[in-house]
Amino acid sequence: MDHCIFCQIINRKQPAKIVHEDELAVAIEDIHPQAPVHLLVMPRKHLPSLTEAEASDEPLLGHLFAVSAQLARERQLTTKGYRTVVNNGPWAGQTVSHLHVHVLG
Ligand code: 5GP
Ligand code: ZN
């Protein structure tokens, strides 16, 4: 998706602080952090939101949460706790139409 800011970041056409990359997912630091740690874990594949995910995307959805937990462990968030948040659609406050998990700690 040419006009998608997260696709541009994934394809290195826009800068971002990338904190994790693998064949399925990329994680970045949020540009406007709402907590001391605020990461965004996103699929390389452009999925506008959870709503568009299909049955074949189930392993990918699981992977996004596995990466979220891995990043939380790396940043020592697991003892005190952290939030994983997915906003879907405008009334939920979704502003970037490329599925992403917020990791807030
Ligand atoms: P949403 O509101 O869609 O759930 O979350 C979008 C998040 O993406 C927001 O927290 C916002 O600060 C972040 N964001 C938007 N544009 C950029 C960008 O260009 N770079 C980075 N690193 N984060 C962004
Ligand atoms: Zn995208």
Side-chain angles (χ1 to χ4, degrees), residues 29-42:
E29 293 195 359
D30 197 292
I31 202 166
H32 297 304
Q34 303 297 313
V37 175
H38 188 171
L39 308 176
L40 303 171
V41 183
M42 59 192 72

Side-chain angles (χ1 to χ4, degrees), residues 1-11 42-48 96-99:
M1 295 287 284
D2 287 349
H3 59 272
C4 170
I5 182 68
F6 286 175
C7 282
Q8 290 171 5
I9 287 172
I10 290 163
N11 295 320
M42 59 192 72
R44 286 188 183 278
K45 169 184 175 178
H46 180 88
L47 273 176
V96 178
S97 294
H98 182 127
L99 176 64

